[in-house]
Amino acid sequence: MDQPLLGGVPARGCCSCWTLKGWLPILSWLPRYKLKWLQMDVLAGLTVGLTTVPQALAYAEVAGLPVQYGLYSAFMGGFIYTLLGTSKDVTLGPTAIMSLLCFSVVGGEPRRAVLLSLLCGLIQAVMALLRLGFLLDFISFPVIKGFTCAAAITIGFGQVKNLLGLQDIPHEFFLQVYYTFHRIPEARIGDAVLGLLCLFLLIMLMFMKSSLSSDDAPTYSRLARKLVWTVATMRNALVVVAASCVALSWEAYGHHVFSITGKTSQGLPPFRPPPTSDTTANGTIVTFGEIVEGFGGGLAVIPFMGLLESIAIAKAFASQNNYRIDANQELLAIGVTNIMGSFVSAYPVTGSFGRTAVNSQTGVCTPAGAIVTSVIVLLSLAFLMPAFYYIPKASLAAVIICAVAPMVDYRVVAKMWRIHKPDLLPFFVTFLMSFWQVQYGIIGGVAVSGALLMYNMARPHMTVSDQGVLLIELGSGLSFPASEYLSRIVHTQALQVSPPRSVILDCHHVSVIDYTVISELRDLLKQFQLQDVHLVFSRLQAPVLEILLAADLQGFRYAGSMEAALEMESRNFLDK
């Protein structure tokens, strides 16, 4: 099936139709919209919608918010992304990681969560307008993996208390682990049995879906596979509905054997500006400045992680389905979604890998499929909220545990050990610190990654060999942190030996040079002249040669090849 998004996104010019299409990608595919795309978009939207509703309810629990806030956060993204998004597959909404980060910053305070959504959206939108998406490149893969593994364990274990019906368990991870095991004898039998049964069913359906083959088979076999795929894809909704029916039947007979969600706000959220102040339990008014100060580093971490998660998902599915995305336009879509979401009491959202995968596998053709998903969420808010009263917390806990379990990628440790061992350092720093505070884990991991990056810049690989003269080959770029290191190598290997030796500096890997390096080279050339030996530069790239010539270095010599440099130095030796 031909896709309307193939071929990428128009480049932005100034004051033209292409500019408008760049800012509103819907104008690129809507004029060519076809009926067969509508059929596939509706099917995909319905399928993702049935996955979104139970997940949104469950993720609100992770964020420490009333369950309706999960649905409040799940519908705005569909409408905004249809207008501004550049991926046909991505679905925006609450996710496990963003819910955990939100809880770590606002501690389950709904008004502050809504304000956090506004501020995150503003930061993300400004980054998009200033084309600052490149900043995300400084968060390395080991940091991302360390964080997601720790977050998955934190989220998953945090739901064990709901799976077993335990009450009053602390939120701090290590205390949570201690008190959960300590109070296992207090587990409610009904919650434990129902939770484990839901967990078993979800795992079984997940494995059934992953084991489906796509080989040619008779018609009845293909129909059976489609049926299994459909049931497995909607497993979250089916399990939650079935568990709710069980809970309702027991409650109808007056047996309160399950911990249920309880009363929730009915109807659509009002459209109103997000709150800019809060009131504590004792009536103290907390000002906007005090709230922002309380957010601390989370106000930097959450927008970055939201962008990183969504853009990584968009790039993965764009590559898989053979189309291109505009990273900065994706930033704008997420930012505007969070800004507008704050007006309907949403907390920060981003792209969901699981729901995006379902969207892609169902055959979505355009971002319009997200509108169908949003409509299902709105219908649930308008008509189904009373039914959510009977949803057992154990079933939502099972949904969350199954959603985050694949994020624990233990095999990545072996891969890093085999490929590049230093990457394990930022991985484990992020992983371990995230159990203390998730935002500190990310900050710590980025700091360690930055330190390793700066160390590599300050200590570039150099190969020293003897070919009659001393040949030093620079294995990477040469910038100011490495200038002192280069000087020390040259002094110890050439100038401080007896007799002093000439040096050929092979610079074919050096593409950038700065003023600090020029100053160090000027000093080196003076030292070589005093010792009556030479420093010859070889295989300089044109931009670097231009800078060196402009610096007017006394005694500067260069050759276009290694052979020419060796011949030049041989002549100098014979002339002595």
Side-chain angles (χ1 to χ4, degrees):
M1 180 179 294
D2 52 340
Q3 304 288 3
L5 293 184
L6 294 184
V9 180
R12 290 191 176 97
C14 57
C15 302
S16 67
C17 178
W18 292 109
T19 305
L20 188 59
K21 288 182 178 181
W23 290 111
L24 289 173
I26 187 174
L27 299 178
S28 299
W29 54 264
L30 187 60
R32 298 181 285 117
Y33 201 79
K34 302 176 183 178
L35 181 61
K36 60 182 178 181
W37 291 346
L38 177 63
Q39 295 170 344
M40 297 306 296
D41 286 346
V42 170
L43 175 62
L46 286 170
T47 306
V48 175
L50 293 174
T51 304
T52 299
V53 172
Q55 282 195 344
L57 296 171
Y59 291 149
E61 289 273 349
V62 176
L65 302 170
V67 293
Q68 65 267 23
Y69 279 84
L71 296 178
Y72 294 166
S73 307
F75 67 84
M76 185 59 75
F79 297 114
I80 300 297
Y81 196 83
T82 300
L83 294 172
L84 301 178
T86 60
S87 168
K88 72 180 182 67
D89 300 300
V90 167
T91 61
L92 299 182
T95 65
I97 287 178
M98 290 301 285
S99 299
L100 176 65
L101 286 169
C102 181
F103 176 77
S104 71
V105 173
V106 304
E109 295 286 340
R111 291 172 64 86
R112 300 189 186 192
V114 173
L115 179 59
L116 180 64
S117 178
L118 173 66
L119 297 178
C120 287
L122 289 172
I123 292 171
Q124 291 164 335
V126 168
M127 286 181 63
L129 295 174
L130 296 179
R131 319 293 284 176
L132 296 179
F134 72 91
L135 293 176
L136 300 175
D137 297 337
F138 288 93
I139 303 179
S140 65
F141 181 80
V143 172
I144 297 169
K145 273 297 179 183
F147 168 70
T148 53
C149 288
I153 294 171
T154 302
I155 295 167
F157 194 86
Q159 294 304 309
V160 173
K161 62 180 185 292
N162 291 328
L163 200 72
L164 301 178
L166 299 175
Q167 304 292 328
D168 302 321
I169 301 294
H171 291 293
E172 200 274 325
F173 179 75
F174 296 106
L175 291 176
Q176 194 175 79
V177 172
Y178 172 77
Y179 280 103
T180 298
F181 283 110
H182 182 69
R183 296 174 62 180
I184 281 180
E186 301 174 22
R188 299 181 61 170
I189 299 300
D191 284 325
V193 171
L194 181 65
L196 292 173
L197 181 60
C198 289
L199 201 59
F200 171 76
L201 289 173
L202 288 168
I203 293 172
M204 182 184 70
L205 289 170
M206 187 166 58
F207 275 111
M208 287 175 63
K209 182 179 178 180
S210 64
S211 63
L212 290 175
S213 62
S214 57
D215 302 333
D216 291 334
T219 303
Y220 68 87
S221 180
R222 290 199 301 272
L223 289 174
R225 280 204 296 264
K226 287 184 178 179
L227 177 62
V228 172
W229 184 89
T230 303
V231 171
T233 299
M234 297 188 295
R235 61 187 179 273
N236 292 332
L238 295 175
V239 166
V240 169
V241 168
S244 301
C245 291
V246 171
L248 174 61
S249 63
W250 281 90
E251 291 285 330
Y253 286 100
H255 300 296
H256 307 292
V257 296
F258 305 113
S259 300
I260 57 178
T261 300
K263 185 174 176 58
T264 57
S265 297
Q266 186 174 353
L268 302 177
F271 189 87
R272 61 190 178 195
T276 54
S277 62
D278 199 6
T279 305
T280 61
N282 61 8
T284 303
I285 296 177
V286 185
T287 65
F288 175 78
E290 291 171 333
I291 294 175
V292 172
E293 185 179 353
F295 289 163
L299 199 54
V301 169
I302 292 180
F304 267 84
M305 289 308 299
L307 296 175
L308 191 68
E309 190 174 359
S310 189
I311 290 177
I313 292 168
K315 285 183 177 179
F317 282 90
S319 174
Q320 176 180 311
N321 294 321
N322 195 30
Y323 61 88
R324 293 180 59 198
I325 65 161
D326 182 337
N328 278 292
Q329 184 65 24
E330 291 293 303
L331 303 190
L332 183 64
I334 301 166
V336 174
T337 295
N338 280 321
I339 292 171
M340 297 304 298
S342 69
F343 285 80
V344 291
S345 302
Y347 67 90
V349 301
T350 186
S352 164
F353 186 86
R355 296 193 295 274
T356 298
V358 171
N359 206 25
S360 177
Q361 291 165 4
T362 313
V364 71
C365 293
T366 73
I371 294 178
V372 181
T373 299
S374 297
V375 169
I376 291 177
V377 175
L378 289 172
L379 291 174
S380 300
L381 279 166
F383 302 109
L384 297 181
M385 292 306 288
F388 295 158
Y389 179 95
Y390 295 101
I391 295 178
K393 290 186 176 182
S395 65
L396 295 179
V399 168
I400 294 171
I401 291 171
C402 283
V404 301
M407 292 162 53
V408 183
D409 186 5
Y410 58 89
R411 287 168 294 192
V412 75
V413 176
K415 291 178 182 177
M416 287 187 212
W417 176 265
R418 187 172 63 252
I419 297 170
H420 191 233
K421 294 179 180 63
D423 282 337
L424 288 171
L425 184 57
F427 173 85
F428 279 115
V429 167
T430 307
F431 180 77
L432 296 174
M433 288 185 68
S434 293
F435 291 116
W436 173 33
Q437 284 284 345
V438 285
Q439 60 265 41
Y440 293 160
I442 298 169
I443 293 170
V446 170
V448 172
S449 290
L452 291 175
L453 179 63
M454 288 187 288
Y455 180 82
N456 289 331
M457 291 175 61
R459 296 292 182 271
H461 178 69
M462 297 184 188
T463 303
V464 181
S465 58
D466 190 342
Q467 297 190 18
V469 296
L470 202 65
L471 173 62
I472 300 179
E473 180 181 359
L474 299 174
S476 60
L478 189 60
S479 53
F480 69 91
S483 59
E484 179 61 31
Y485 179 64
L486 172 64
S487 179
R488 187 166 72 248
I489 293 291
V490 172
H491 273 87
T492 56
Q493 299 281 344
L495 295 176
Q496 294 177 359
V497 298
S498 183
R501 305 186 64 185
S502 294
V503 171
I504 296 176
L505 201 60
D506 187 355
C507 301
H508 72 285
H509 290 301
V510 179
S511 58
V512 177
I513 199 166
D514 56 42
Y515 187 80
T516 304
V517 177
I518 294 290
S519 299
E520 197 66 46
L521 291 176
R522 181 177 281 110
D523 292 339
L524 278 176
L525 286 168
K526 289 180 181 177
Q527 294 296 321
F528 273 90
Q529 285 182 320
L530 290 174
Q531 301 276 12
D532 197 26
V533 286
H534 303 99
L535 175 61
V536 180
F537 295 80
S538 171
R539 297 200 288 178
L540 289 165
Q541 295 188 24
V544 177
L545 176 58
E546 184 179 344
I547 293 171
L548 289 170
L549 291 173
D552 193 24
L553 299 175
Q554 186 177 358
F556 173 64
R557 302 179 180 206
Y558 67 94
S561 64
M562 286 301 305
E563 293 77 11
L566 289 168
E567 184 179 348
M568 180 187 298
E569 189 50 40
S570 298
R571 287 200 304 268
N572 291 331
F573 180 78
L574 294 173
D575 292 340
K576 288 184 180 180

